[in-house]
Amino acid sequence: TSDIWLVGVVDSSIVQSAQELTNASISFNCYPNPAGDYITVETKSTVVNGYCNIYDVTGHIIRYYILNENRLQVNTTAFSPGIYIVQVKDEKGNAAVKKLVKY
């Protein structure tokens, strides 16, 4: 299922919704979810010159990673418990999002 999360807008650089972060089909998994100290973001195929953004529920980017493989391990120990949005975007601009819960 696809969750759409509406978030507040403080300025124009903050996303308005998770739907705004998705514009095409790119497939990835984010596990474990709920997350403990680490998550793995894994795309179905290798992404070159792509990136992974992690947003808090207010729409602010809290982490930004360059992707040049199909797997990324993210340390989440500094994340407060709550809900986050993980976006993966490839070099062509195709993007997808997943909801992440940190306990």
Side-chain angles (χ1 to χ4, degrees):
T1 64
S2 180
D3 291 336
I4 301 298
W5 290 83
L6 298 177
V7 294
V9 176
V10 177
D11 63 46
S12 62
S13 67
I14 299 172
V15 298
Q16 295 179 11
S17 71
Q19 187 173 18
E20 181 181 317
L21 300 173
T22 304
N23 62 7
S25 63
I26 183 172
S27 185
F28 78 97
N29 291 316
C30 182
Y31 58 87
N33 196 358
D37 293 338
Y38 292 90
I39 61 167
T40 299
V41 177
E42 186 172 9
T43 59
K44 297 289 183 187
S45 59
T46 300
V47 175
V48 178
N49 297 322
Y51 59 87
C52 174
N53 289 329
I54 301 177
Y55 298 85
D56 65 15
V57 294
T58 64
H60 290 92
I61 295 176
I62 61 166
R63 294 289 188 277
Y64 175 89
Y65 302 93
I66 302 295
L67 291 176
N68 282 309
E69 298 178 6
N70 73 324
R71 184 177 292 169
L72 170 70
Q73 188 170 23
V74 177
N75 183 331
T76 58
T77 56
F79 291 22
S80 298
I83 297 172
Y84 297 87
I85 299 168
V86 179
Q87 178 196 45
V88 171
K89 194 167 189 178
D90 69 13
E91 69 279 3
K92 296 176 185 172
N94 299 319
V97 296
K98 301 270 184 186
K99 177 177 66 173
L100 172 67
V101 177
K102 165 68 172 157
Y103 63 83

